Amino acid sequence: MSTNKPNALSRRAFIRNSSIAGGGMVIGFNLFQACKPKVIAEPAIDLASLDYNDFNAFIKIADNGAVTIFSPNPEIGQGVKTSMPMIIAEELDVAWKDVCVEQGILDTENYQRQVAGGSQSIRFGWDALRQTGAKAKHMLVSAAAARWGVNPSECSVSEGVITNAAGETLGYGDVVNEAALLEVPEEVPLKEPSEYKIMGKDASNVDINKIVTGKPLFGLDYKTDGMVYAAVLRPPAFGKKLVSYDDSEARAMSGVIDVVSIGEKVRGLLAEDPSFGSKISSSDKVVVIAESTWQAMKAKEAIKAIWEDDSKVESTEEHDKILNDLLDGNKFETMRSDGNVKKAFAEADEILERTYESPFLPHNCMEPMNFFANVTDEKVHLVGPIQTPAWKAGLVSKMLGREEKDIHLEMTRMGGGFGRRLYGDFVIEAAEISDKIRKPVKVVYSREDDMEDGIYRMAIKYRIKAGIKDGKITGYYLKEAAVNSNMYGLIPNFFPAGAIENYQVDAANYESNITTGAWRAPYTNFLAYAEQSFFDELAELMNVDKIQLRLDLLDNVKPEEDERIQYSPERMKEVIKTAVEKSGWGTKSKDVYQGFVNYYCHNTHVAEVADVEIENGEPVVKKITCVVDCGIVVNPMGALNQIEGGVIDGVGHSMYGELQFKDGRPTANNFDGYRLIRMKEAPIVETHFIQNDLSPTGLGEPTLPPAGGAIANAFKAATGNRLYKQPFTKTPELLKVPEKEIIG
């Protein structure tokens, strides 16, 4: 919730060593430290002499009143390139239609957390972004007041026009040069939500015209003079390494410039910091350099390489047995333990225990992995789609033995990220190739490269056990067994933590050479389905109402007594009750079967209800009612897009998504072998927001995890069968409606 605080600017201090140019001024702020005390003001900068590559944490205002706002965080389709500038523009008090938005570059001096991940961009930037706009407005008003010889408190602002008590007006452009000389105040008052004119109103994606007209925005669009293209021949399976290769045929092909191998510098990087090993292959790779992507890819196919086993070469069947053994064994790490679950189970009247299984999943971004690098003696120039630019710049700095100040990284819009572009092995490849050939080069993956050499969502199994005594849940034990999870798949302090007296969460891990990592809504994308399906089954066993069971458990939660609890039981109860009301829970016709889920992740509370109908003897998802408490909604249009996309992604992958491995290699390498949800299968998504004035939380991920559980519970209502494995189509016999019910 926004709060008004006293004006901290006690004097008008002038920066005397700045000169004014007629072209207007740039006012610079540190977006992520603007709220902190004793911030050193950036000096005013002459627009004519500004080097845009050197500093990007600013609002640019020209003397004609034009306003440019730079968006600092990576844009992967989650809308921050629109919503972050909206927050600044709101407090700056300019007309949104008159704002130009540009993507900022990596700037670790002026920005913190330039990351697209965890649905945290708006949450982390909220206060600082507002202060940035408010401080600029304060300086502009102070400059106008000084010209008029009045007190700034006598002035008002609307859409970039300052008005005094006498009715005189000045535009921001009229006073920007004087304003640029003023000291940046430490803290200024912020608007109350009731005063918002931009936030809370629909705003189209700032890039939409360029997207629909095909203007260059994405990494694949980037071109520069003298640039060549690289296609990389990587190991054909996880656990293989390069022995030798014959490139004679490839070198003779049209457009081929060179064939080189890479890997030496990466091995040095791994030796320095082995933690990178699960994300970067240590095997040598063969690289074709050509005049075009197509020529490079075709020549890559002509290379005759010999590979040998470097380590274990694994298959899905082995993983399945290993994970079962882990669940049955005692090699685990306890993540949270309340009370005594063993005693609770020993004293229980009834015990319910179930195991839930999920497969590996690829990310399959629409835009395959790609990146540009140009390594010279002066600097390392990197351009492309990356979710963690600072992390990648640091890795490149280490690999090349260069100062981080020599790394200049520009972010492009991304055609999807979903966690795959957190890791940036493709950035490392591009930098190593450019360093070797000393040319500007772009590495481009084919779809097959993308799926065969991915960083996948790990395969996971959950075993959940609950004890019931005198009609109450007295014990709850959740155990995870995962491939390469490193405790990555569990959230021990989310619901039902704090709701059950005897509660324990354990994790067991199997280390594989198959690269794994974050996949959209990490930790929770599968766990939500497992736990919420389990609660439905518990309610049936206990013969109690499914909704009331959840509400009763939430009544037990006391966050004020347990600082580990991350969710709000009151906010959760509100989304539950609203979802019951908005979905018509329990009031639909007998032809509609419903499934309910509530969940908290990425700081956001969500409840979803799935409506399923029977068609040709099988249940079909028709509608998802989604209720979201994400605090203040900055851009409702963008928020709806994220919510609907998350729900449909959750439905699609729980129904169809699966990647298996045979001898260390994925069994599917393109969309002809990997099933995604289709347009005709996408349900209607009806969204409702809980209105409040609390600070915004995440939206890119929180609606995906509950979707699988909602449809699984609805399928149970329709077929009588419980689903314990994803994808649900892997057990088609459980999706069949009994014939007598169809006839009935």
Side-chain angles (χ1 to χ4, degrees):
M1 184 180 298
S2 66
T3 56
N4 283 340
K5 296 184 179 180
N7 186 347
L9 184 61
S10 58
R11 62 188 177 88
R12 294 192 187 99
F14 292 87
I15 302 173
R16 298 295 183 184
N17 60 354
S18 296
S19 61
I20 303 297
M25 296 302 298
V26 172
I27 304 174
F29 302 102
N30 181 326
L31 294 183
F32 290 95
Q33 296 193 14
C35 297
K36 298 180 181 179
K38 299 181 181 178
V39 174
I40 299 174
E42 293 282 358
I45 297 178
D46 183 344
L47 184 62
S49 64
L50 179 67
D51 181 357
Y52 291 103
N53 291 331
D54 287 340
F55 127 83
N56 69 346
F58 55 79
I59 302 166
K60 185 167 69 176
I61 302 177
D63 57 6
N64 66 357
V67 177
T68 299
I69 298 177
F70 285 75
S71 182
N73 278 31
E75 173 60 63
I76 54 174
Q78 82 281 42
V80 295
K81 191 176 176 182
T82 302
S83 54
M84 294 182 94
M86 285 176 72
I87 297 170
I88 296 174
E90 180 66 71
E91 295 290 351
L92 182 60
D93 232 329
V94 293
W96 178 247
K97 64 181 177 60
D98 297 330
V99 172
C100 174
V101 175
E102 295 187 20
Q103 176 67 58
I105 64 169
L106 174 65
D107 182 351
T108 56
E109 291 185 8
N110 290 293
Y111 295 136
Q112 294 179 15
R113 202 186 182 277
Q114 281 185 277
V115 173
S119 300
Q120 299 296 300
S121 293
I122 297 298
R123 177 172 174 258
F124 273 91
W126 174 245
D127 289 331
L129 292 168
R130 288 187 298 156
Q131 279 287 335
T132 295
K135 289 178 181 182
K137 173 184 171 181
H138 178 94
M139 295 166 71
L140 290 158
V141 170
S142 295
R147 184 184 294 189
W148 285 321
V150 302
N151 193 299
S153 64
E154 299 176 20
C155 303
S156 62
V157 179
S158 178
E159 297 190 341
V161 177
I162 307 163
T163 305
N164 64 21
E168 297 173 296
T169 61
L170 287 170
Y172 279 176
D174 298 324
V175 295
V176 66
N177 291 335
E178 296 101 307
L181 295 175
L182 299 178
E183 185 179 79
V184 179
E186 289 188 359
E187 195 169 20
V188 295
L190 298 172
K191 290 183 178 181
E192 293 291 345
S194 60
E195 301 175 280
Y196 292 162
K197 299 176 183 177
I198 296 174
M199 289 195 287
K201 306 293 191 300
D202 288 342
S204 297
N205 186 318
V206 295
D207 285 336
I208 192 64
N209 289 333
K210 290 182 179 180
I211 291 171
V212 299
T213 57
K215 297 294 191 302
L217 275 173
F218 299 89
L220 284 175
D221 298 325
Y222 184 81
K223 292 182 176 64
T224 190
D225 293 342
M227 186 178 81
V228 296
Y229 295 84
V232 181
L233 181 65
R234 303 174 181 86
F238 292 95
K240 298 280 189 180
K241 71 174 182 178
L242 180 66
V243 176
S244 63
Y245 65 94
D246 178 357
D247 61 9
S248 55
E249 186 178 339
R251 286 182 177 276
M253 296 177 69
S254 174
V256 173
I257 298 169
D258 201 357
V259 179
V260 299
S261 65
I262 59 171
E264 317 91 79
K265 290 186 178 295
V266 168
R267 284 195 296 277
L269 179 64
L270 296 176
E272 181 180 342
D273 191 340
S275 66
F276 302 132
S278 64
K279 309 298 184 295
I280 303 173
S281 172
S282 60
S283 172
D284 284 351
K285 304 169 187 177
V286 186
V287 183
V288 176
I289 312 298
E291 296 172 0
S292 72
T293 301
W294 179 250
Q295 290 169 325
M297 288 182 175
K298 293 304 291 182
K300 183 184 74 169
E301 295 174 2
I303 292 174
K304 298 177 177 63
I306 297 175
W307 309 86
E308 68 178 18
D309 290 354
D310 180 41
S311 58
K312 53 193 175 186
V313 180
E314 305 163 18
S315 298
T316 297
E317 293 79 5
E318 297 173 80
H319 293 149
D320 189 65
K321 181 181 185 305
I322 289 168
L323 295 184
N324 282 333
D325 289 344
L326 285 174
L327 287 177
D328 293 336
N330 295 312
K331 295 180 180 179
F332 54 80
E333 181 173 337
T334 297
M335 310 299 291
R336 175 167 174 151
S337 180
D338 300 340
N340 188 329
V341 293
K342 289 185 178 179
K343 182 180 179 183
F345 293 142
E347 297 175 351
D349 299 326
E350 292 182 278
I351 291 177
L352 179 67
E353 182 175 281
R354 293 290 183 263
T355 300
Y356 301 85
E357 304 177 24
S358 70
F360 288 96
L361 289 179
H363 294 83
N364 281 335
C365 307
M366 183 64 73
E367 177 191 22
M369 301 304 107
N370 67 92
F371 222 80
F372 168 85
N374 186 18
V375 178
T376 66
D377 291 339
E378 291 73 33
K379 70 175 182 179
V380 178
H381 186 198
L382 305 172
V383 184
I386 186 67
Q387 293 179 242
T388 50
W391 184 12
K392 296 300 96 57
L395 284 179
V396 170
S397 170
K398 287 184 178 181
M399 181 182 69
L400 300 181
R402 301 286 292 266
E403 296 288 335
E404 288 203 31
K405 63 180 177 60
D406 294 338
I407 313 297
H408 173 78
L409 191 150
E410 299 175 37
M411 293 169 279
T412 62
R413 191 179 183 92
M414 289 173 249
F418 314 117
R420 176 61 180 94
R421 287 187 161 101
L422 289 171
Y423 302 105
D425 41 314
F426 44 92
V427 182
I428 302 298
E429 288 179 348
E432 187 176 7
I433 294 166
S434 180
D435 183 54
K436 188 155 194 170
I437 67 174
R438 285 295 165 137
K439 294 179 185 291
V441 62
K442 181 189 284 187
V443 169
V444 181
Y445 282 40
S446 66
R447 178 60 61 190
E448 289 79 8
D449 292 333
D450 215 37
M451 288 187 68
E452 290 182 346
D453 197 57
I455 294 173
Y456 312 97
R457 185 190 80 173
M458 65 287 292
I460 300 178
K461 294 192 179 188
Y462 291 118
R463 182 168 293 168
I464 310 177
K465 183 177 181 181
I468 304 166
K469 177 72 173 177
D470 298 330
K472 302 290 184 182
I473 303 173
T474 55
Y476 187 93
Y477 181 37
L478 168 64
K479 187 172 182 179
E480 172 193 274
V483 176
N484 288 344
S485 84
N486 294 318
M487 315 314 150
Y488 202 80
L490 282 175
I491 297 290
N493 298 315
F494 288 4
F495 181 78
I500 301 168
E501 182 179 359
N502 303 293
Y503 173 86
Q504 185 167 324
V505 176
D506 290 344
N509 177 54
Y510 166 69
E511 292 186 6
S512 168
N513 54 36
I514 295 173
T515 52
T516 59
W519 189 91
R520 189 176 188 180
Y523 309 104
T524 59
N525 50 57
F526 176 66
L527 178 59
Y529 145 72
E531 288 195 307
Q532 290 292 309
S533 295
F534 186 76
F535 277 117
D536 256 34
E537 193 165 356
L538 260 179
E540 292 170 359
L541 178 63
M542 298 168 66
N543 195 29
V544 298
D545 181 82
K546 298 168 184 175
I547 307 296
Q548 195 59 50
L549 173 64
R550 292 165 164 89
L551 293 173
D552 290 344
L553 286 171
L554 287 166
D555 284 338
N556 299 332
V557 183
K558 305 276 188 299
E560 67 277 6
E561 299 176 7
D562 185 350
E563 62 182 13
R564 297 173 297 173
I565 301 298
Q566 298 179 29
Y567 62 96
S568 163
E570 297 306 318
R571 295 176 79 173
M572 184 68 82
K573 284 188 279 189
E574 187 170 8
V575 296
I576 290 174
K577 292 174 182 178
T578 305
V580 167
E581 174 195 346
K582 298 298 184 181
S583 68
W585 176 261
T587 65
K588 295 291 182 75
S589 71
K590 65 179 182 178
D591 298 325
V592 178
Y593 303 89
Q594 293 185 304
F596 179 89
V597 164
N598 63 281
Y599 206 69
Y600 167 90
C601 65
H602 300 87
N603 311 104
T604 293
H605 300 76
V606 176
E608 294 180 16
V609 176
D611 288 2
V612 164
E613 297 179 18
I614 305 302
E615 293 182 359
N616 300 318
E618 294 186 359
V620 176
V621 184
K622 292 293 187 178
K623 180 181 178 182
I624 304 285
T625 302
C626 186
V627 177
V628 178
D629 181 351
C630 60
I632 292 171
V633 180
V634 175
N635 180 10
M637 180 186 295
L640 286 172
N641 289 339
Q642 290 185 74
I643 289 168
E644 292 174 3
V647 169
I648 292 171
D649 202 10
V651 170
H653 278 92
S654 61
M655 284 291 294
Y656 310 111
E658 178 184 31
L659 192 68
Q660 295 193 357
F661 285 83
K662 182 68 175 176
D663 297 328
R665 185 170 188 168
T667 55
N669 65 7
N670 211 317
F671 292 129
D672 59 340
Y674 183 78
R675 180 78 155 85
L676 289 167
I677 192 170
R678 294 163 184 162
M679 290 181 68
K680 66 179 181 179
E681 295 163 340
I684 294 170
V685 180
E686 180 185 295
T687 300
H688 301 274
F689 292 103
I690 301 296
Q691 300 296 325
N692 57 48
D693 293 339
L694 300 173
S695 297
T697 55
L699 263 188
E701 295 164 296
T703 64
L704 182 150
I711 63 174
N713 289 337
F715 287 162
K716 167 59 169 63
T719 67
N721 298 322
R722 282 277 165 206
L723 298 165
Y724 300 103
K725 293 183 180 181
Q726 287 189 2
F728 299 147
T729 50
K730 189 174 183 178
T731 51
E733 68 278 4
L734 298 179
L735 295 178
K736 296 292 184 183
V737 178
E739 187 174 343
K740 62 179 181 179
E741 295 189 19
I742 299 175
I743 296 173

